[in-house]
Amino acid sequence: MEDMKKWWRDAKFGMFIHWGLYVLLAGEYKGQKTDNIAEWIMHDLDIPVEEYQALAARFNPVHFDADKIVRLCRDTGMKYLVFTAKHHDGFAMYHSKASGYNIVDATPFGRDAAMELKEACDRYGIRMCFYYSQAQDWHHPDGFEDAKPMDGKDFRRYLDEKCVPQVKELLTQYGPLGLIWYDTPMDMSREDCLAMRNLVREAQPDCLVSGRVGHGLGDYMTTGDNFIPLLPYGKDFEVPATINGTWGYSSGDTRWKSPEKLLRNLVKIVSRGGNYLLNIGPDALGDVPEKSVEALGVIGEFMRLNGESIYATRPVPPYPYDIDWGYFTAKPGKLYIHVFDDMPDVYLINMGNVPRRAYLLCDGRPLELRQRETCEHVHSWRIFLPEDLPRQIDTVICVEVEEQDIRFEEITD
Ligand code: JFZ
């Protein structure tokens, strides 16, 4: 169990892809705009099933290029990719035999996007993973529909005819998967949630299960959009997050987070021991919004020079003072100081390790480090940053220390 999680713990950074029929509407139906996340449009604007499913006949994203998307994933420094195989709208974005309501059989496009992504992932060493909405299905008459009562519905029938066969298809048609990302378990019983988890265990024992399988049965905790736990949080977690304000493509959404903000979130999450699963939402032609490509490009540049301070790092105990200029990450014998503000030096007290040397991670340049005892047992470090620093959002200083574990001294009177 512990071993099967190692790749995921070391990966730190993954790509989420929300893509489905809803992108044809891009947040607007018959002149009405949704103010919620765009992949929920069918539910939020009460679009009848017959009208929504007719979108399939128009789905022809001729620009879709799995190779290009997976290269973007790799170049951003992301190590796994989670693709919406079926979202709440019930439409399968892969070739399903269990339901004709799928991208190959019901659209003019006729291609298995999931297969193309999986093959590209294999080429670039990225772990392929599938998102699957196991409880909500707004197309099948017996699936959950948000919080609406299940009166008169036969949830078991939905599980038997659609959900279970489809998850089995995903687990058998696409080779080894990194994880199955279940979502919104609604009122599913513990027994049914356990069955969904066991389906994965039986078919692919090394495949992880997301926290949203329900009843705490996942292999790690999944937080809400951009919700980042405070330290100390001692368990595995993943923060799924959007670059703008929606998962599925919306033409009207302009709430783009800056690359600085995204990088800060990545480092903050990693410093607390979690993974960042950052979303892109390709549009109706299959293109990734330019703003997303730009932002990911900035993060990729950081990762190429400073990836060592992110991958396979472990959380650092909480530093006892409230610093707002940056974060810490660590590996055995190494403390990485992530400096987001423009500062001539970094001054830290209550340092519990004996430093050997400090250097700039991006170019290996040695940095002057002064160490002294400020009072009886409080050790301070002062590290000087040169004036001609390469321009970076996050300047990473590596301090090699004598001990394996990083520790900070407590605040004393
Ligand atoms: C769910 C979906 O409904 C949504 O469409 C998207 O796929 C997202 C990644 O997951 O939305 C949620 C589910 C749970 C929380 C927040 C958003 N939560 O627990 O805070």
Side-chain angles (χ1 to χ4, degrees):
M1 181 66 221
E2 288 313 301
D3 265 350
M4 80 190 245
K5 273 201 219 177
K6 191 182 182 303
W7 74 265
W8 181 86
R9 283 200 184 121
D10 290 352
K12 297 293 170 205
F13 196 19
M15 173 179 272
F16 216 162
I17 302 179
H18 275 70
W19 202 41
L21 292 183
Y22 41 80
V23 301
L24 286 161
L25 302 178
E28 186 175 340
Y29 188 65
K30 292 187 173 163
Q32 206 186 342
K33 287 197 168 81
T34 168
D35 57 5
N36 191 18
I37 41 184
E39 70 281 5
W40 272 70
I41 193 165
M42 176 182 178
H43 171 269
D44 293 340
L45 298 188
D46 287 318
I47 305 175
V49 172
E50 310 74 58
E51 283 184 39
Y52 187 87
Q53 74 183 12
L55 291 172
R58 291 206 274 127
F59 190 76
N60 198 14
V62 290
H63 292 177
F64 177 72
D65 183 344
D67 196 86
K68 193 172 166 191
I69 289 178
V70 178
R71 262 187 282 128
L72 176 66
C73 175
R74 180 201 61 182
D75 292 346
T76 307
M78 295 156 150
K79 302 292 189 189
Y80 59 112
L81 184 153
V82 184
F83 178 59
T84 48
K86 187 204 82 173
H87 204 267
H88 308 331
D89 66 0
F91 186 74
M93 292 294 284
Y94 73 97
H95 196 191
S96 173
K97 286 163 204 76
S99 160
Y101 193 44
N102 73 70
I103 189 170
V104 176
D105 297 321
T107 76
F109 187 56
R111 283 158 48 187
D112 186 342
M115 186 64 86
E116 293 179 19
L117 285 168
K118 165 67 183 175
E119 285 169 359
C121 279
D122 288 345
R123 284 197 287 282
Y124 297 112
I126 304 292
R127 298 248 182 183
M128 182 74 191
C129 313
F130 286 123
Y131 169 107
Y132 190 89
S133 174
Q134 78 279 26
Q136 292 201 68
D137 192 305
W138 307 331
H139 186 260
H140 194 285
D142 297 310
F144 275 93
E145 194 192 336
D146 197 20
K148 284 195 188 142
M150 293 293 276
D151 304 349
K153 290 198 178 194
D154 184 354
F155 187 64
R156 169 69 37 202
R157 183 167 60 191
Y158 155 74
L159 286 181
D160 291 345
E161 325 184 323
K162 187 169 180 184
C163 178
V164 170
Q166 286 200 326
V167 173
K168 279 188 181 161
E169 288 174 342
L170 293 171
L171 288 162
T172 51
Q173 290 175 193
Y174 299 90
L177 302 175
L179 58 93
I180 294 289
W181 217 93
Y182 288 126
D183 194 13
T184 64
M186 314 310 288
D187 284 332
M188 275 176 75
S189 68
R190 186 176 193 282
E191 199 188 349
D192 284 345
C193 292
L194 196 58
M196 294 314 297
R197 188 184 79 174
N198 288 342
L199 214 55
V200 180
R201 291 280 191 271
E202 280 152 28
Q204 295 202 22
D206 290 335
C207 179
L208 301 174
V209 174
S210 76
R212 291 193 192 156
V213 63
H215 293 272
L217 293 166
D219 291 315
Y220 60 84
M221 191 271 273
T222 308
T223 72
D225 188 0
N226 285 312
F227 277 85
I228 304 173
L230 279 169
L231 275 174
Y233 186 81
K235 292 184 232 150
D236 294 315
F237 70 94
E238 178 181 66
V239 179
T242 54
I243 297 184
N244 54 350
T246 176
W247 305 89
Y249 178 77
S250 170
S251 56
D253 187 292
T254 52
R255 290 167 287 175
W256 298 101
K257 296 171 190 83
S258 67
E260 288 79 4
K261 171 85 181 163
L262 297 169
L263 189 55
R264 228 177 215 276
N265 283 348
L266 170 67
V267 175
K268 191 194 283 186
I269 290 163
V270 170
S271 77
R272 295 173 191 181
N275 282 15
Y276 195 32
L277 183 62
L278 192 56
N279 182 72
I280 56 164
D283 64 16
L285 284 174
D287 289 313
V288 179
E290 201 44 49
K291 279 278 193 186
S292 300
V293 176
E294 269 170 42
L296 296 183
V298 174
I299 300 178
E301 203 181 320
F302 168 84
M303 294 297 270
R304 272 187 288 284
L305 294 172
N306 301 286
E308 184 198 309
S309 66
I310 300 291
Y311 304 123
T313 57
R314 295 296 173 255
V316 180
Y319 181 66
Y321 289 92
D322 184 12
I323 52 169
D324 59 4
W325 47 258
Y327 307 92
F328 302 106
T329 57
K331 278 185 186 165
K334 282 178 178 175
L335 175 69
Y336 301 100
I337 308 171
H338 295 258
V339 185
F340 282 83
D341 283 2
D342 195 7
M343 328 197 285
D345 61 0
V346 173
Y347 185 73
L348 293 163
I349 62 172
N350 289 59
M351 303 308 284
N353 297 89
V354 179
R356 283 203 182 117
R357 65 185 187 111
Y359 57 93
L360 204 61
L361 188 60
C362 65
D363 62 11
R365 172 178 350 173
L367 299 176
E368 185 189 344
L369 180 141
R370 284 188 213 153
Q371 195 202 6
R372 67 192 175 101
E373 226 163 87
T374 41
C375 43
E376 225 179 314
H377 38 241
V378 175
H379 294 86
S380 76
W381 296 358
R382 193 169 170 203
I383 301 162
F384 294 86
L385 288 163
E387 266 170 39
D388 65 329
L389 274 182
R391 255 196 69 78
Q392 287 189 96
I393 296 168
D394 172 12
T395 299
V396 186
I397 299 167
C398 177
V399 184
E400 290 180 1
V401 300
E402 277 178 17
E403 305 78 7
Q404 291 289 291
D405 293 332
I406 297 302
R407 53 174 304 271
F408 300 121
E409 287 161 5
E410 278 171 36
I411 299 175
T412 48
D413 297 337

